[in-house]
Amino acid sequence: MKHYIKKISTYAMAGSMGALAMVAMSGCERKPAGESDAFTRASQKQGAFVVIDEVAPGRYRIAEEYPADTTRVILRKLDGTEKILSKEELDALVKEEAAKIDAGESPLTNPQLSGGGLSLGEAILASAAGAIIGSWIGSKLFNNPNYQRTRQRSYKSPSAYRRSVDSFSKAKRSPTSSTRRSTRSGFFGGGSRSGSRSTFGGFGG
Amino acid sequence: MVRLEKVAPLTPEFLERLGFHWHTDSDGTSYVADEIVVVSEAEAEAYYEAANTLYDMYVEAGEYVVEKNLFHDIGIPFNLVDAVKKSWENDVHWHIYGRFDLAGGIGGAPIKLLEFNADTPTALFETAIVQWALLKANGMDEAAQFNHVYEAIRDNFRRLIVLDGNPEDFGRYYEGWKILFSAIRGSIEDENTTRLLQKIADDAGFHTDFAFADEVEFSDEEGIFFNGERFEYWFKLIPWETIAIEESDLARILTNIMENRKAIILNPAYTLMFQSKGMMKILWDLFPNHPLLLETSFEPLERKQVQKPFFGREGGGVRILDARGRELVRGEEAYGEQPSIYQAYEPLPADEEGRRYQAGLFFAYEGCGLGYRRGGEILGNMSKFVGHRID
């Protein structure tokens, strides 16, 4: 029998909206001027929202990842607590990781060092957030085949990786027809509806 | 008796950050209750099973209506019959989501179907996001809720591509087809419910865009366009019967677009059959005395009963009648001269203060989420949304 409670990661329950709710709830966001809500920002997807799980003490996996207006990383620790990493923390972790890459000591680029899971800095760099925050070290990473392999392995489940790839690589677009055509528009343009609540579709009696 | 638990409310500022602007009713009271309904695990399971059973019954009844050509009997506008038939023929016209409204289910009362909002259901934001955030903000276990609406709809968008296959294979088969989302300009609830659906489709991996209905361009031969781009899918949070009645040219063009296979329109036109309350009479004919159904007829019953217009919404035009057909209570607004059904009266579960609770159960491929509306005997536009948690 199918069961109603899906044991899925809690953010997946409400997807990128859940992630956004979490950030709004934490109260630690700065509201950029001129923006009003989740949907006005949705069009500017230059960042990533990443949820990283601690899977063993000091070992991490990427649980969820969504395009977002700005880059934010939530860490879910083994004891169940959650923490939003600040920009300073992220920068420090990425910088530390960059030094390891330069010294050839990072499992992200050095296959001999792989195994035993990722540190927090490595998990961040393996995520979409890492690609954005660490863009200045991008060239060292993105052409490295071991980094690409590690990136795949860093996700909590193959489906988390699949999801991530799906949301970030909408590169394929269907060809747009630009032939001459006669179209009609302006339906429901009367503007007779007003008010904030729905004019239909609500709970019926 | 409905069991309630007090919770700290979400602030209007927080809700607005999420795009949920309709948090306060016109009388200044909060639309989202600062209490939640406590549901047992067995009750949640029963809701889930009921949704799946009811949907299967609707599909059987839909087949019956199409075969016997009963469109007129259940009030389908003549200018949409072809669209309904066409969409029924092929699975690519995938039903994204709907919401069953139910009596009972808590406090020992059996679950009974009141109606199925299959075409343009709202209360999606409240159910999928707000009640989840309510648990989270109150430090409660957010997984203890019958609510995977977001995930279920996301997977159902993927089924537009994989159909009965595994939604996880979406990336393998997706070739960049785009979905345009539209609402009628002027209602922030309709607009942001539509934008929420767009976001879910976005998370699923689709290319999407949003346009108000009046900005969309339609062509019989070439399909649906916005900003010079052609869209393979158009999701409209506009009732099909509204299209049929208020913009009959659009109904004709959409039928031709379907015929020419230039676009797929969501929710599909056949959901108008499910949406018609006339279907509940068909269901009663096909499944007489089924435990999830209430006796329903096109003629007055000889018992306490509820008269509902075929396409009434928000409790409009609903009348509660006694066994002799005398009016006891009347809903907020009338729906003209629409034909009606007569459904056996079933009291909604009540709390200590006598307030009534109606369950709204979302369906997206399977039962996927529960929420409640609280109000008087007929739930109108002033009723409140009440979240839940599973004990």
Side-chain angles (χ1 to χ4, degrees), chain A residues 41 45 170 181 183 198, chain B residues 17 189 202 207 217 222:
Chain A
R41 288 179 319 217
K45 282 177 198 152
K170 297 180 186 174
R181 55 180 193 272
T183 59
S198 182
Chain B
R17 291 286 291 134
E189 180 179 1
D202 239 24
H207 290 286
E217 294 181 65
E222 296 186 68

Side-chain angles (χ1 to χ4, degrees), chain B residues 157-178:
Chain B
F157 272 118
R158 289 183 175 149
R159 286 192 189 90
L160 286 170
I161 305 300
V162 303
L163 296 179
D164 268 321
N166 185 351
E168 299 284 351
D169 291 336
F170 173 82
R172 200 184 305 163
Y173 300 108
Y174 179 61
E175 290 184 22
W177 301 290
K178 302 182 288 291

